[in-house]
Amino acid sequence: MLKSEWIEKGYIDEPIDRSVDVKAEIRRMCEEKHAIVLAHYYTKGEIQDIADFIGDSLALAQKAAKTDAKIIVMCGVHFMAETDKILCPDKTVLVPDLNAGCSLADSCSADDLRRFKEEHPDYQVVSYVNTTAAVKALTDVVVTSGNAKKIIDTFPEDAKLIFGPDYNLGSYINSVTGRNMLLWNGGCHVHEKFSVEEIIKLRREHPKAIVLAHPECKGSVLVMADVVGSTAVLLKYCIESVETEFIVATEAGILHEMQRNCKDKTFHPVPPEISEGNVGCSCNECEFMKMNSLSKIYNCLKYEWPSIEVSEDVRKEAIKSIDRMLALS
């Protein structure tokens, strides 16, 4: 039985013997239990190093949908694990820490979206993947930052669309598609902190550097960027580009994979806006992504907990919007 305090904490903090090679034990348990470790680019580098697969939200969903593993350990945030469970109801989906939430997903509740839909009955709902299972159940099609434009382009030009919850991403998609989607006013607490002033400062210090930005950033930041795209798009650009120096405006975890693939290139993370509490910060990090740790992965594999559950009623509705995304991607 799990101790009650572990349940209250949302993760297992059982001490691990110092003689144990945690990384090796994680891999051993994965083989023994037929488990796979999936990790988002924003997790700690040491987690990316032991993962079976690293990717952005779309790639992780695609991998989960195709895996024959019995157990999926989702190292990211809560909505990603819910997406895995929706796609794989017969599999055990584990998360290292139940507290790893998402400010963007929290900005749009199912009740609020339901009321908004009732106020706009002629509209279809396009939801960013950074949403809860309950919101996906109210959605016509899910998108990621990597496929949003492609999917929006499949709708008739006169289609009435609600896009949420990320206002910045919705604004960017409106600008590149010529649409006038009705936008939910939500945002990512990490990407909203990037400032034009910090990018100008870095450009002055590194005049040959290419500025990369995620479309969750504010519009004033995006107009400063040479390349705008999802984490996968930005990574691909770095790998294939002849340029050797980059200024990166997205969560700093991606720099680990960028540097691993481009050992001869230099990356400069854009720091957050200067404010009380982050003075001296050299980069923006998502504290929720950083809740994942090797010890938590070890313990969740050992005890096969915490696990994610999605009610069948919600899952049956949510799977429609995700399947539509995967079919169009």
Side-chain angles (χ1 to χ4, degrees), residues 199 201-213 224-227 234-235 237-249 255 258-259 262-270:
I199 294 175
K201 188 186 300 182
L202 280 169
R203 264 191 159 166
R204 192 178 299 126
E205 296 169 356
H206 310 282
K208 294 183 179 180
I210 300 297
V211 178
L212 311 176
M224 297 289 294
D226 299 296
V227 180
L234 299 182
L235 175 62
Y237 183 87
C238 293
I239 294 171
E240 297 179 352
S241 174
V242 295
E243 286 90 358
T244 60
E245 193 171 14
F246 304 89
I247 294 168
V248 185
L255 271 68
M258 286 178 170
Q259 199 68 75
C262 311
K263 292 181 172 58
D264 58 341
K265 299 184 180 184
T266 304
F267 301 92
H268 308 286
V270 177

Side-chain angles (χ1 to χ4, degrees), residues 276-306:
E276 182 181 1
N278 68 10
V279 176
C281 266
S282 62
C283 60
N284 263 348
E285 291 190 337
C286 174
E287 64 268 31
F288 299 115
M289 287 285 187
K290 270 41 179 189
M291 286 180 176
N292 294 276
S293 68
L294 292 177
S295 62
K296 290 176 183 176
I297 296 171
Y298 172 92
N299 280 324
C300 86
L301 269 169
K302 180 179 178 180
Y303 290 98
E304 298 185 18
W305 186 88

Side-chain angles (χ1 to χ4, degrees), residues 124-325:
Q124 296 182 72
V125 177
V126 180
S127 289
Y128 194 23
V129 71
N130 299 42
T131 46
T132 65
V135 165
K136 289 181 175 72
L138 297 170
T139 296
D140 292 285
V141 62
V142 171
V143 300
T144 69
S145 56
N147 64 19
K149 180 185 182 302
K150 179 181 179 180
I151 290 177
I152 294 301
D153 282 340
T154 66
F155 284 90
E157 290 185 6
D158 60 350
K160 295 181 178 180
L161 303 175
I162 294 170
F163 185 95
D166 193 287
Y167 182 87
N168 292 330
L169 176 60
S171 295
Y172 173 71
I173 298 303
N174 271 345
S175 72
V176 296
T177 62
R179 302 276 177 158
N180 188 29
M181 297 185 294
L182 190 57
L183 306 181
W184 193 270
N185 191 25
C188 168
H189 74 293
V190 173
H191 289 91
E192 288 194 329
K193 292 178 184 175
F194 293 117
S195 71
V196 171
E197 290 75 17
E198 295 295 338
I199 294 175
I200 291 173
K201 188 186 300 182
L202 280 169
R203 264 191 159 166
R204 192 178 299 126
E205 296 169 356
H206 310 282
K208 294 183 179 180
I210 300 297
V211 178
L212 311 176
H214 194 283
E216 287 181 26
C217 295
K218 294 176 292 188
S220 57
V221 169
L222 297 182
V223 297
M224 297 289 294
D226 299 296
V227 180
V228 177
S230 67
T231 47
V233 167
L234 299 182
L235 175 62
K236 185 173 186 287
Y237 183 87
C238 293
I239 294 171
E240 297 179 352
S241 174
V242 295
E243 286 90 358
T244 60
E245 193 171 14
F246 304 89
I247 294 168
V248 185
T250 190
E251 210 279 349
I254 187 63
L255 271 68
H256 179 79
E257 190 67 4
M258 286 178 170
Q259 199 68 75
R260 190 182 71 82
N261 283 276
C262 311
K263 292 181 172 58
D264 58 341
K265 299 184 180 184
T266 304
F267 301 92
H268 308 286
V270 177
E273 294 174 330
I274 297 175
S275 63
E276 182 181 1
N278 68 10
V279 176
C281 266
S282 62
C283 60
N284 263 348
E285 291 190 337
C286 174
E287 64 268 31
F288 299 115
M289 287 285 187
K290 270 41 179 189
M291 286 180 176
N292 294 276
S293 68
L294 292 177
S295 62
K296 290 176 183 176
I297 296 171
Y298 172 92
N299 280 324
C300 86
L301 269 169
K302 180 179 178 180
Y303 290 98
E304 298 185 18
W305 186 88
S307 61
I308 295 295
E309 299 299 332
V310 176
S311 72
E312 188 60 15
D313 288 345
V314 170
R315 194 195 73 81
K316 283 182 178 179
E317 292 303 312
I319 191 68
K320 297 174 185 177
S321 62
I322 299 174
D323 280 345
R324 187 174 176 187
M325 174 188 73

